[in-house]
Amino acid sequence: METPPDTTPGSPSGAAPSGQPLRKGAKSQKELVEIAIDCFARYGYQGSSVDRIAKAAGVTKGALYYHFKDKEALLAATVADRVAAFEHRVQQAVSGASCPQALRRIASVCIDHAQLGDHPRFAITLMVESIETNAEVSIQLREMMRRFRAFIRNLISTGQDRGEIRPDADATAAAAAYNSVILGAEIQYYQDPDRFAFKPAIETFLDQLLVDLTRGMPTTDATSGGELKE
Amino acid sequence: METPPDTTPGSPSGAAPSGQPLRKGAKSQKELVEIAIDCFARYGYQGSSVDRIAKAAGVTKGALYYHFKDKEALLAATVADRVAAFEHRVQQAVSGASCPQALRRIASVCIDHAQLGDHPRFAITLMVESIETNAEVSIQLREMMRRFRAFIRNLISTGQDRGEIRPDADATAAAAAYNSVILGAEIQYYQDPDRFAFKPAIETFLDQLLVDLTRGMPTTDATSGGELKE
Amino acid sequence: METPPDTTPGSPSGAAPSGQPLRKGAKSQKELVEIAIDCFARYGYQGSSVDRIAKAAGVTKGALYYHFKDKEALLAATVADRVAAFEHRVQQAVSGASCPQALRRIASVCIDHAQLGDHPRFAITLMVESIETNAEVSIQLREMMRRFRAFIRNLISTGQDRGEIRPDADATAAAAAYNSVILGAEIQYYQDPDRFAFKPAIETFLDQLLVDLTRGMPTTDATSGGELKE
Amino acid sequence: METPPDTTPGSPSGAAPSGQPLRKGAKSQKELVEIAIDCFARYGYQGSSVDRIAKAAGVTKGALYYHFKDKEALLAATVADRVAAFEHRVQQAVSGASCPQALRRIASVCIDHAQLGDHPRFAITLMVESIETNAEVSIQLREMMRRFRAFIRNLISTGQDRGEIRPDADATAAAAAYNSVILGAEIQYYQDPDRFAFKPAIETFLDQLLVDLTRGMPTTDATSGGELKE
DNA sequence: TATGAATGAGTCTTCATTCAT
DNA sequence: AATGAATGAAGACTCATTCAT
């Protein structure tokens, strides 16, 4: 069970911070969080020693402790960051879309998110790891999932109100299924990126879901999954 | 990140073994594996110290090391056990069923498995944790998932050959979606057993999937998900 | 600091025990001692776990504990065995020889002993290791060395009485030097068997010693080191 | 096989370091090495637990691991230190001396070294222990011994070139004998400091050796071992 | 006579955390 | 704002020893 050393990344989020060039190893709090996210996503909380994170960031442990009370505080910061980013992204994706369109766009966002390696895997890894070992994080991530499911459910309900979705559909169950496919597909993709048919799995599901939800409704473009093409 | 102490379970497999009483707290190798599975499933590999497992089993660390070369060997034994059990269970479920029936039955088996707490969560927890930290286990679990997807794909292909499934369906993508819902639903269930609509999520998916796969085919009973009732 | 596994030796002392063929792994106390000597000689006391010795002997630890109260008792048995064997060998070598001859023969015995791998290294290894860690063994080996030095000293004194050795020689110092070369040469030989000139070192010393001790005495054959040829 | 606890020594190198007082029990890397040498010399590698060394140094195990990657790295540091110190001492001893003088001086250095308890026994203890258990250290010490033998051999060869030593002497064998006596005498001295005639043993050998090597050569003062008096 | 199973103390090592500077 | 040095608790693993059979 050894884990390979982390290749010290530069600023992971692309462009260097504008303005004053920070001195040797100096990192802003935000950057430390980004790097911690990378570690936690890859190795989990227990698998990421403070020293490993510090080394990946090119600073000493002391620097981390200067910015964060303890390891859990660092974790909390990363979780908060990821949750906010995810919800922001989802909000962006749906603005002004019909329900079917929104469902396709959100899925698309999740796929991109997972494949572009922003900080993929983070939520899933921590979700699984923290269920029995870190109540606070577990609750935060559970709440995030609840909000996400509620969001999807609302999307569908609103679609029903708008006449885009058949009124007798079970919005809660549909949302649960929707979430499940995305989550399950992501895990399989992380586990086996070369052989798991990531996008087809989600597209297949979406096609079926939308056929089902819009059965007997006036046709819209979005029903026939046009937007998921890369 | 404290984890509660494990309440020492009695012989987990039900009745005490009649006959020869071993030494104080003596446990057979098989029993040790069962208990280790419990721990790994709950706390992950890194979260399960050898001492914790030993205490849960009511033996000392030395006893564990007598039976297993090291912690990884114990892990390997648990993984092998779970993989075999899962595949056996799936085999059982499908014997003599039509494709649609088989897909419903396998889902049913997974749901029961997850809810009855046999040793739920084990595969998912280890799958996520081991991706970057334990190549051997990661490979074993990846192979298991590949086999499972191939199995589902074959089920569908066979269904196509038999005329149960529409011939132009994409068996690979359908299998990937099928796997995804189950996996994703399980995680959400473990994370939020009280609020996640486990069975409805999977049923909703299955109904849609089977409607899609059997479109234009002669109707069978299994299409209308009768068997998923508990 | 890993040590290679011991290749399970058969009966190391050559011929199988006459009479009843012992059953699987059964070993006489004598045989266990021989094997323990091998281990202790190679890896030292601390480096030879009871399990390692047992495995080398093809028995279980329990069997060792049946024959010997504890690990130290086994050690004591090996030390006693080696000390007795060494002193016996030396006694044999000198019987009926003149002092110079005896000194050559004893050296010869030591060289053969070291090179033929009877149980070489044992005394040295244990001597060095036990100085601070095992008073009993240390004393036993110290006594052995004292006896050996006294023996050599007596040999020389007797030689002086007999007129073989010049009377003003310092028998004690000569004995000390004699012992030193043998001991020091053995260590260097064990450490570097391919490159250390084992026999020449001792021969050179012996030649000089005997020239010195017999200075002004009537010449004997033994003075001119004939017997050390292999 | 119990070993007495080490009496925590103060700063072993004499006066306390003036100036900056470090943390409670803080020791410089150099000091840790000195203390480790003491322990290894006395109890060997296996007999010196990291905890024992740490306690002897008045620090915690963690402090040791802060400075040295693992126990073997600490060992390596001690070996390197000792080898360098020994070779330096020998170099010093011979500068500008004739061959016979040099041989006497080096012996003198070894005797002082052993008796003044600088860090005696270290090389011998580790040499014997590491032969089968630590290839790296074994090689380092073997190389040191080879260099030392070569050094003595060169000394003699040079003496031959200069006309101090008889040209038909076997320099290699003489060097081997020289080394052997010193090594063997040291061991016996460590084993039995009260009763082993340390200096006489070596002097006796040296006298004989120099008589032999300078046979037929113009006399020098050094031949008649004046300098070995304490 | 010997084994298989187990114990508990001890060993090497890691890690979260602290703190003087 | 950050570092270097250190701590102490915990973790993986070993080992001498015991004992029922």
Side-chain angles (χ1 to χ4, degrees), chain B residues 89-108:
Chain B
R89 219 182 306 245
V90 169
Q91 293 287 355
Q92 291 291 99
V94 302
S95 70
S98 72
C99 168
Q101 276 175 330
L103 291 178
R104 287 206 181 270
R105 286 206 193 142
I106 290 169
S108 189

Side-chain angles (χ1 to χ4, degrees), chain D residues 99-145:
Chain D
C99 169
Q101 275 175 331
L103 291 177
R104 287 204 180 271
R105 287 203 194 144
I106 290 168
S108 190
V109 157
C110 292
I111 292 174
D112 291 352
H113 181 217
Q115 284 177 330
L116 259 73
D118 187 355
H119 287 305
R121 225 181 320 173
F122 179 84
I124 289 178
T125 301
L126 270 293
M127 201 180 291
V128 169
E129 185 181 4
S130 67
I131 290 176
E132 302 264 347
T133 54
N134 187 321
E136 216 154 322
V137 165
S138 189
I139 288 170
Q140 258 180 281
L141 293 174
R142 203 180 59 201
E143 294 301 324
M144 179 188 82
M145 290 300 282

